[in-house]
Amino acid sequence: MKKNLIIGLALLISSQAFSIEAVNHYELAIRAYDAGKTDEAFIHLKNAIQTNPTHLPSKLLLGKVYFNSGNVAAAEQELTQALEMGADINLVLPLLGSSLIIQKKVDKLLQYEDQYYNLSREGKFEWHLLRGQAYILNTQAELAGFEFKEAQKISPDDTRANNTLATLYISMGKLKDAEVLINHALEIEPNNEKTWYLKGELALKQQNQDLA
């Protein structure tokens, strides 16, 4: 009995030591990431996960590091594992969804449909944008428009929502609707580069329409 107790205590102490080491690596990774030292952050995150494979903050940040470096397949893997380990869907969905969209894995993205009512307001906003992108990949512009409008209803003053819907309207030839959205986006964020790009694209389309 005494021997078993000693072994149990030793295992507990060892487990706590590994947890502390993982946290230390994670904190170093955060500092490196915030300083723009991505490679250094990557090393610390790998060390943290090697020390404690269930350390969710490290899995989430590693997924972000992979995504930002262009390795979307690896990002998908890390973020999917994080979800399976119990990570909050609201923290995972935006980046995981984007990873799936980039890889054109529409069916895999739509498997998360049943999570909709577990999403926060912000999570639902992101879901409608992702679902809209999925419809675009399937060349279903009208359905994409519905999703983007749902996102805009949730956050009407979000520049990304207005720009995303404006981009779709320009592609569909709905130039007046696009102009309203672009002007609103500029009122919200006057120096947004994407909005100004869209304004230029819209002007060209309007000019061509006038010449037709």
Side-chain angles (χ1 to χ4, degrees), residues 1-199:
M1 178 71 72
K2 186 176 180 180
K3 184 179 179 181
N4 289 339
L5 179 60
I6 292 171
I7 292 172
L9 287 171
L11 289 173
L12 178 61
I13 292 169
S14 176
S15 175
Q16 289 176 337
F18 282 135
S19 295
I20 292 170
E21 187 178 350
V23 170
N24 288 339
H25 279 301
Y26 174 70
E27 289 177 351
L28 290 170
I30 286 284
R31 290 178 199 167
Y33 183 81
D34 288 344
K37 300 175 181 178
T38 306
D39 291 341
E40 185 179 328
F42 176 79
I43 292 169
H44 286 304
L45 290 169
K46 294 295 282 186
N47 287 337
I49 292 169
Q50 185 175 8
T51 302
N52 181 3
T54 63
H55 192 250
L56 280 175
S58 292
K59 298 285 285 184
L60 292 172
L61 184 55
L62 183 58
K64 188 173 183 179
V65 168
Y66 274 134
F67 184 87
N68 290 341
S69 67
N71 191 346
V72 291
E76 177 197 344
Q77 181 179 345
E78 292 296 332
L79 295 168
T80 300
Q81 289 176 1
L83 264 185
E84 292 169 351
M85 290 161 55
D88 184 347
I89 184 71
N90 292 289
L91 297 177
V92 179
L93 183 62
L95 216 53
L96 175 58
S98 295
S99 299
L100 294 171
I101 288 293
I102 291 169
Q103 297 176 85
K104 299 182 179 180
K105 294 184 177 181
V106 172
D107 291 342
K108 194 164 185 179
L109 172 69
L110 295 180
Q111 288 177 7
Y112 295 104
E113 180 84 55
D114 61 353
Q115 294 289 326
Y116 183 80
Y117 292 104
N118 295 325
L119 295 172
S120 64
R121 181 174 175 275
E122 292 78 10
K124 288 175 180 176
F125 171 80
E126 294 292 342
W127 175 252
H128 285 299
L129 290 180
L130 288 167
R131 191 174 168 87
Q133 293 294 339
Y135 280 129
I136 285 176
L137 288 175
N138 285 342
T139 62
Q140 296 172 288
E142 292 295 338
L143 290 175
F146 172 81
E147 295 296 336
F148 293 152
K149 281 187 278 189
E150 287 298 302
Q152 196 203 27
K153 284 179 187 176
I154 294 172
S155 295
D157 291 332
D158 185 275
T159 303
R160 183 158 57 106
N162 283 277
N163 284 345
T164 301
L165 188 54
T167 300
L168 178 66
Y169 281 159
I170 289 172
S171 71
M172 296 173 70
K174 297 181 177 181
L175 303 187
K176 290 183 178 179
D177 291 332
E179 185 174 17
V180 171
L181 291 166
I182 290 169
N183 288 338
H184 182 53
L186 285 173
E187 289 173 3
I188 301 163
E189 196 176 344
N191 297 320
N192 186 279
E193 291 182 10
K194 173 67 175 178
T195 311
W196 280 105
Y197 172 82
L198 287 173
K199 190 172 180 65

